[in-house]
Amino acid sequence: MYERILFPTDGSETTEHALEHAIDLADRYDAELHVLYVVDATIFADDVDTGAIVEEFETAGERIVDDVAGQARATDLEPVTTAVVRGTPHREILAYADAHDVDLLVMGTHGRAGIERYLLGSVTEKIVRLSEVPVLVVSRPET
């Protein structure tokens, strides 16, 4: 049913919980797992030199995707592909899914509500609305 599963991550606890589902589905369907981290370029001002800051975010992203890939490979899951890109998160996730012919996206959600959701927006919500492929949204576990 699924040949390529995309797991976008920001390294948060919420995405850690969703990772369990992504690994299980990739294993169950013998699918490739793609792990993506997007450096949110929308938070940087165009007129400020942010090169060093962006590099730090990219380095952090590399650590995050490598860690996730390591967790997946520890369950004997192969292949696992990782990528770190820069741009608007929901656009980059959708573009990656399209470019790599992804069959399913597995995403965590922070469960923000009210004014916090309005101000911060929800990458997951945008993906659900705009994706042409199925999206599995995993809510953060109740604590």
Side-chain angles (χ1 to χ4, degrees), residues 80-118:
V80 179
T81 302
T82 63
V84 175
V85 298
R86 189 185 308 179
T88 304
H90 76 278
R91 289 187 184 128
E92 294 301 325
I93 292 166
L94 292 169
Y96 186 97
D98 186 49
H100 293 88
D101 200 23
V102 166
D103 304 301
L104 175 70
L105 285 101
V106 178
M107 301 183 70
T109 182
H110 292 281
R112 293 185 179 110
I115 191 73
E116 184 179 36
R117 183 170 143 245
Y118 175 75

Side-chain angles (χ1 to χ4, degrees), residues 7-9 12-26 33-35 64 67-72 77 80 106-108 138:
F7 176 69
T9 182
S12 68
E13 185 178 323
T14 299
T15 58
E16 277 294 316
H17 185 64
L19 175 60
E20 296 172 23
H21 293 270
I23 290 172
D24 181 63
L25 287 165
L33 181 63
H34 291 251
V35 182
I64 290 167
D67 181 56
V68 168
Q71 290 178 59
L77 186 64
V80 179
V106 178
M107 301 183 70
V138 180

Side-chain angles (χ1 to χ4, degrees), residues 108-140:
T109 182
H110 292 281
R112 293 185 179 110
I115 191 73
E116 184 179 36
R117 183 170 143 245
Y118 175 75
L119 292 174
L120 297 175
S122 169
V123 172
T124 302
E125 183 179 334
K126 289 174 186 167
I127 297 294
V128 168
R129 280 190 291 112
L130 299 171
S131 178
E132 294 181 7
V133 298
V135 181
L136 172 63
V137 178
V138 180
S139 299
R140 86 175 160 200

Side-chain angles (χ1 to χ4, degrees), residues 7 22 25-26 28 30-31 35 46 48 52 54 56-57 65 72 76 83 94 116 122 124 130:
F7 176 69
L25 287 165
R28 185 174 309 209
D30 196 29
V35 182
D46 288 334
V48 178
V54 171
E56 286 296 318
F57 276 105
V65 297
D76 295 326
L94 292 169
E116 184 179 36
S122 169
T124 302
L130 299 171

